[in-house]
């Protein structure tokens, strides 16, 4: 029974690794097209960089000084934490940014939430998986 559990766990991990490579590659393409990722704080920014994201990124904590990067973006990808509070923040910022006339995407956050299957809830914890995406397309 333990061997089957280990194999299932290894399969899920491999699936998540593949998802994360594709996910970061997609975010990099969007970033190259003028999309900006909005995260909660500086540790989230570092985690996104650690997994290979190279596009524009703004933290909510620093958004006051970086509003022009949001205003000049094609679309703002909201990537708040995957917990309940992160969901509330995502909804609040989606509404506020849309009200200001900015295009907003929550699609990527939803995909990451589904793929994480509860393995992690905070964007800053993506750094634990940085070694999995060493070959990501930039």
């Amino acid at each position: 029974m333990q061997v089957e559990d280990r194999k299932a766990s290894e399969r899920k991990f491999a699936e998540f690794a593949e998802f994360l490579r594709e996910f970061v590659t997609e975010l990099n393409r969007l970033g190259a097209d003028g999309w900006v990722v909005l995260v909660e704080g500086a540790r989230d920014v570092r985690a996104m960089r650690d997994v290979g994201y190279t596009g524009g990124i703004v933290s909510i904590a620093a958004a006051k000084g970086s509003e022009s990067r949001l205003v000049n973006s094609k679309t703002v990808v909201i990537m708040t934490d995957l917990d309940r509070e992160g969901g509330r923040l995502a909804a609040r910022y989606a509404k506020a940014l849309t009200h200001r006339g900015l295009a907003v995407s929550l699609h990527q956050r939803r995909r990451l939430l589904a793929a994480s299957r509860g393995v992690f809830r905070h964007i800053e914890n993506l750094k634990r998986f940085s070694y999995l995406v060493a070959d990501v397309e930039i």
Side-chain angles (χ1 to χ4, degrees):
M1 187 73 163
Q2 289 179 343
V3 172
E4 290 176 18
D5 289 343
R6 188 177 332 120
K7 285 183 181 180
S9 179
E10 289 172 359
R11 188 182 71 252
K12 287 180 185 179
F13 189 76
E15 288 171 0
F16 182 72
E18 182 60 28
F19 164 82
L20 193 56
R21 276 189 217 87
E22 291 173 7
F23 183 75
V24 173
T25 299
E26 174 191 340
L27 284 178
N28 282 336
R29 274 187 249 144
L30 295 173
D33 195 30
W35 294 41
V36 172
V37 171
L38 180 67
V39 295
E40 291 182 40
R43 288 184 291 201
D44 299 330
V45 171
R46 281 192 299 277
M48 292 295 294
R49 295 295 186 212
D50 286 350
V51 294
Y53 177 66
T54 59
I57 190 165
V58 173
S59 74
I60 291 170
K64 296 235 186 273
S66 304
E67 287 181 356
S68 64
R69 290 179 67 193
L70 292 177
V71 171
N72 293 327
S73 69
K74 191 171 188 177
T75 300
V76 177
V77 176
I78 298 178
M79 289 293 295
T80 54
D81 288 343
L82 306 176
D83 58 5
R84 185 172 291 157
E85 180 60 25
R88 283 193 284 264
L89 277 174
R92 186 171 98 207
Y93 275 87
K95 183 177 179 180
L97 294 171
T98 302
H99 182 70
R100 292 176 57 188
L102 296 171
V104 171
S105 176
L106 292 167
H107 175 73
Q108 291 76 16
R109 183 181 179 278
R110 288 185 196 115
R111 285 185 54 221
L112 184 60
L113 177 62
S116 74
R117 297 180 185 144
V119 171
F120 66 94
R121 289 286 183 197
H122 302 279
I123 299 301
E124 68 188 63
N125 291 333
L126 278 174
K127 67 184 173 207
R128 295 186 314 187
F129 304 100
S130 61
Y131 70 94
L132 296 173
V133 291
D135 58 347
V136 87
E137 290 179 36
I138 298 175

